[in-house]
Amino acid sequence: MKTKLRHIIKAGLLIILVSILSFCTKDNNLYSGDGKQGNSNEITNNSDRVKAINQLIPLKKIKSSSSLQDDDCVFTLKYMVDAPIVAGQKVQASHIAYHNDHMYLSYNTAGDIVLGGYEMINLESADYPEVHAIGAIDSEYHSVELYNDPSGNISKLILAGVRSKYDGELTSMVQLFSLGTDGLPVGDPLTIDLNGYAATDVNHLGVVTGTGGGFYTIHQNGFNGITYITDLEDARSIAYCQDKDEYVALLGNPGRLITGLPGKANTIPLGGISFGETKAMVRVVNNKAFVALGDGGLKVVNLETGQVISSLAAPEPPAGEPVEEYVTNSVSVNEYGQIFIANGAAGIYVAKMNTVDELEVLGFLDLDASINHVEASGDFLFAAAGKNGVAIIHLSGLKSGVPVVTTNDLLPSEVLSTSASTGGFVSNAEDESIISKGICWSTNHSPTFLDNKKLDGDGSGNIKVELSGLNNNTTYYI
């Protein structure tokens, strides 16, 4: 983790003032930051950092036998994005978020320098991505998230990290941005100081901080504040479970999962992590927690039972290579059910859950770099390789194993007094295995086929239905 006092790099970047919001500490005392932030709010076009590659990446097999066949997978390295230079130093990509052809990256540094930035890469152009970057000379960012405010359908950008005050003391913080129609930040962010040395992760509206920190939730209504929930010492990652409307946190060291947050916390020991600054992550898909545990590899936890249902060991380092370079840092599951695992210098493992909920590795991608973060969405895979930059990989020919179902957020314009329009997407290339698809809804959490339902055909693809017979001023779950 970051030490408390660090050297501050000063440079000829534009220094601006941003709002620092007071918040409730765990003993309900109010305090605020110093009202200053060493950021440059000048958005610069850095598209010259993008290099077109268009090179096939072979999926190297780890074992010859598997119950899953995926011989038609094609991985094309489309672009490499060089790491940006802030105040004369190269920073490293720490986290990636992606939505609607817009890719958001956060940057930080290793060691004793507080330096970072964030940027948006527009992938709408089939010819060349546009990179819009912002540097930060007294702040760095460990995680980035996108959120749509349901009250106004306004896109929000959330950045979590650490900033150095003018007295040299570090404080963890989050920054909340509004985004314009072009996907770029509008105006100055709202900056909120938190307990702990660094905010380590943000997912949905949940934020965790590491040493001396805890778990917070951002205010959904108005998006203008944050609430302290509970202490979580050495929290590495946080994930939102939509099925249960609750959060799951990953703590170290050793690794342990805290489920049922905020009201029904339960601890599941998992082990792993070990090395002090090892990146670790939890993400939830279909009520399963996929947990990257450093030297503990990857474990999958069924959140209904609290049991580990499958696991993969961390890769074995070659003789003479440092063990800490061959750890499981990150995991991402795309809409097709493919699981991508960042294993440091061992590259990216590609896996699936088979029909009996066991992980099976299909192979690995070697990018000739140490991979510390992956984000998979649709037909794209993004891989952060520290100061070596970010790889943008296009996926084609992938076959799904177990169907993955996602539901759409309801927009205000789609909700009437007694009806609503909604839908989702079923990802599975083997259409014959999906005999029906649709939407279930209920006033209770986690509705099932036994509750209200409306079907929309069979096979994979989009779902679009009209929910009728709803009661006014009533909360429904889909």
Side-chain angles (χ1 to χ4, degrees):
M1 307 302 292
K2 300 288 184 182
T3 56
K4 191 171 184 180
L5 294 176
R6 309 176 63 180
H7 304 295
I8 305 171
I9 285 188
K10 300 295 183 182
L13 296 180
L14 176 64
I15 307 297
I16 64 169
L17 300 180
V18 298
S19 302
I20 305 290
L21 179 73
S22 300
F23 69 93
C24 286
T25 64
K26 62 187 94 175
D27 55 4
N28 293 322
N29 292 324
L30 291 176
Y31 72 95
S32 65
D34 55 20
K36 297 180 180 179
Q37 179 71 25
N39 282 358
S40 168
N41 67 343
E42 181 180 352
I43 299 175
T44 58
N45 192 313
N46 279 220
S47 298
D48 57 348
R49 291 176 23 234
V50 179
K51 297 178 181 178
I53 306 296
N54 290 316
Q55 177 180 324
L56 295 180
I57 310 173
L59 180 65
K60 299 180 180 180
K61 301 296 182 180
I62 295 177
K63 58 181 182 179
S64 58
S65 62
S66 171
S67 66
L68 299 171
Q69 298 299 316
D70 216 323
D71 296 333
D72 296 330
C73 295
V74 177
F75 299 87
T76 303
L77 178 58
K78 296 288 291 181
Y79 305 101
M80 283 297 301
V81 183
D82 287 343
I85 295 175
V86 178
Q89 296 209 28
K90 185 175 284 190
V91 294
Q92 61 188 18
S94 57
H95 201 103
I96 302 166
Y98 177 77
H99 182 67
N100 284 349
D101 293 323
H102 290 164
M103 173 186 175
Y104 295 84
L105 296 93
S106 59
Y107 289 93
N108 63 14
T109 54
D112 289 335
I113 297 174
V114 179
L115 197 66
Y118 58 94
E119 63 188 5
M120 186 273 281
I121 300 180
N122 188 339
L123 297 175
E124 289 178 326
S125 171
D127 298 324
Y128 218 65
E130 296 178 0
V131 181
H132 303 274
I134 299 177
I137 63 170
D138 289 339
S139 302
E140 62 182 38
Y141 304 103
H142 300 158
S143 184
V144 58
E145 175 69 311
L146 295 169
Y147 182 77
N148 288 326
D149 184 349
S151 66
N153 190 32
I154 301 172
S155 295
K156 303 290 186 179
L157 177 68
I158 309 170
L159 287 162
V162 60
R163 72 184 190 95
S164 181
K165 298 180 181 181
Y166 280 81
D167 60 4
E169 184 178 355
L170 293 184
T171 180
S172 61
M173 57 89 176
V174 292
Q175 290 185 329
L176 312 179
F177 297 79
S178 292
L179 298 178
T181 56
D182 58 0
L184 295 175
V186 177
D188 294 337
L190 178 63
T191 300
I192 309 173
D193 288 347
L194 308 175
N195 291 331
Y197 289 156
T200 51
D201 196 17
V202 54
N203 188 250
H204 191 62
L205 293 172
V207 181
V208 289
T209 59
T211 304
F215 168 49
Y216 302 79
T217 56
I218 298 167
H219 298 168
Q220 183 175 9
N221 295 327
F223 208 72
N224 59 359
I226 198 165
T227 299
Y228 163 82
I229 303 298
T230 188
D231 279 352
L232 288 178
E233 178 65 22
D234 197 15
R236 304 296 180 95
S237 184
I238 189 75
Y240 178 65
C241 179
Q242 183 177 352
D243 292 338
K244 294 177 172 290
D245 190 27
E246 62 188 33
Y247 287 89
V248 177
L250 172 62
L251 280 60
N253 197 352
R256 54 205 188 277
L257 209 60
I258 310 295
T259 64
L261 292 169
K264 301 177 181 178
N266 179 53
T267 301
I268 302 173
L270 296 177
I273 298 180
S274 290
F275 303 102
E277 293 193 13
T278 294
K279 184 179 177 71
M281 172 178 281
V282 57
R283 288 297 181 257
V284 174
V285 178
N286 289 348
N287 218 16
K288 297 181 181 69
F290 293 79
V291 193
L293 288 162
D295 66 0
L298 179 74
K299 293 186 179 180
V300 182
V301 177
N302 184 325
L303 294 179
E304 289 290 346
T305 64
Q307 299 297 312
V308 176
I309 58 175
S310 191
S311 61
L312 290 174
E316 288 287 336
E321 293 290 324
V323 176
E324 61 269 21
E325 295 294 328
Y326 292 80
V327 292
T328 303
N329 295 308
S330 171
V331 61
S332 184
V333 184
N334 69 8
E335 295 88 338
Y336 299 99
Q338 277 72 40
I339 304 163
F340 299 92
I341 307 158
N343 278 325
I348 304 170
Y349 281 28
V350 183
K352 287 183 181 177
M353 300 294 290
N354 63 21
T355 55
V356 292
D357 271 347
E358 294 175 340
L359 283 165
E360 292 201 21
V361 178
L362 304 173
F364 73 98
L365 304 173
D366 184 3
L367 297 180
D368 195 26
S370 182
I371 307 301
N372 65 338
H373 182 80
V374 286
E375 177 71 16
S377 182
D379 295 331
F380 280 102
L381 170 65
F382 308 101
K387 291 185 178 181
N388 289 320
V390 175
I392 300 177
I393 302 168
H394 182 260
L395 283 56
S396 59
L398 291 171
K399 298 177 182 178
S400 304
V402 180
V404 175
V405 180
T406 56
T407 54
N408 298 335
D409 291 334
L410 286 174
L411 302 180
S413 60
E414 297 174 329
V415 180
L416 303 177
S417 58
T418 60
S419 64
S421 300
T422 188
F425 192 85
V426 178
S427 303
N428 193 318
E430 300 163 358
D431 284 356
E432 66 274 10
S433 67
I434 302 174
I435 60 175
S436 64
K437 65 185 181 192
I439 295 292
C440 304
W441 71 93
S442 171
T443 56
N444 298 318
H445 287 292
S446 303
T448 71
F449 199 74
L450 300 177
D451 295 306
N452 300 297
K453 61 182 178 291
K454 184 162 287 187
L455 302 181
D456 185 27
D458 56 17
S460 61
N462 288 314
I463 303 171
K464 186 171 180 60
V465 298
E466 299 286 332
L467 312 185
S468 58
L470 306 180
N471 294 323
N472 197 14
N473 296 320
T474 303
T475 299
Y476 289 88
Y477 299 90
I478 60 175

